[in-house]
């Protein structure tokens, strides 16, 4: 998970948000890691709820969570991590 998060951070920083400044890179990574971890926990929680209590097939549940959650994660990274440079 840490390796994947490091790669995702670097790809987001340089290619998605096009921020090439090394300023605050440690703080940005920490914030990125925390927001990603929170999203991962929420993703697992909602997947459990959708499958066990609502009875939606797990692949469909993951697709629904992804369609709703990924734009929220993008906005969180944009505003909380990379928005105040």
């Amino acid at each position: 998970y840490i390796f994947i998060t490091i790669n995702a951070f670097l790809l987001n920083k340089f290619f998605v948000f096009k921020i090439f400044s090394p300023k605050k890179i440690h703080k940005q990574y920490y914030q990125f890691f925390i927001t990603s971890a929170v999203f991962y926990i929420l993703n697992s929680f909602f997947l459990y709820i959708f499958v066990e209590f609502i009875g939606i097939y797990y692949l469909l549940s993951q697709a629904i969570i992804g369609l709703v959650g990924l734009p929220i994660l993008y906005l969180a990274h944009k505003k909380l991590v990379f928005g105040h440079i």
Side-chain angles (χ1 to χ4, degrees), residues 12-13 17 27 29 38 40 42 52 58 63 71 73 75 77 83:
N12 274 283
K13 180 173 178 68
F17 297 109
K27 182 178 178 183
Y29 178 73
V38 168
Y40 178 76
L42 288 173
E52 294 297 324
Y58 77 96
L73 181 63
L75 292 173
H77 285 156

Side-chain angles (χ1 to χ4, degrees), residues 25-58:
I25 195 165
H26 292 91
K27 182 178 178 183
Q28 287 174 341
Y29 178 73
Y30 176 73
Q31 292 171 329
F32 186 89
F33 184 83
I34 295 299
T35 55
S36 296
V38 168
F39 178 77
Y40 178 76
I41 292 166
L42 288 173
N43 181 50
S44 298
F45 173 75
F46 283 114
L47 185 62
Y48 176 75
I49 296 298
F50 284 11
V51 171
E52 294 297 324
F53 294 109
I54 299 175
I56 302 173
Y57 184 60
Y58 77 96

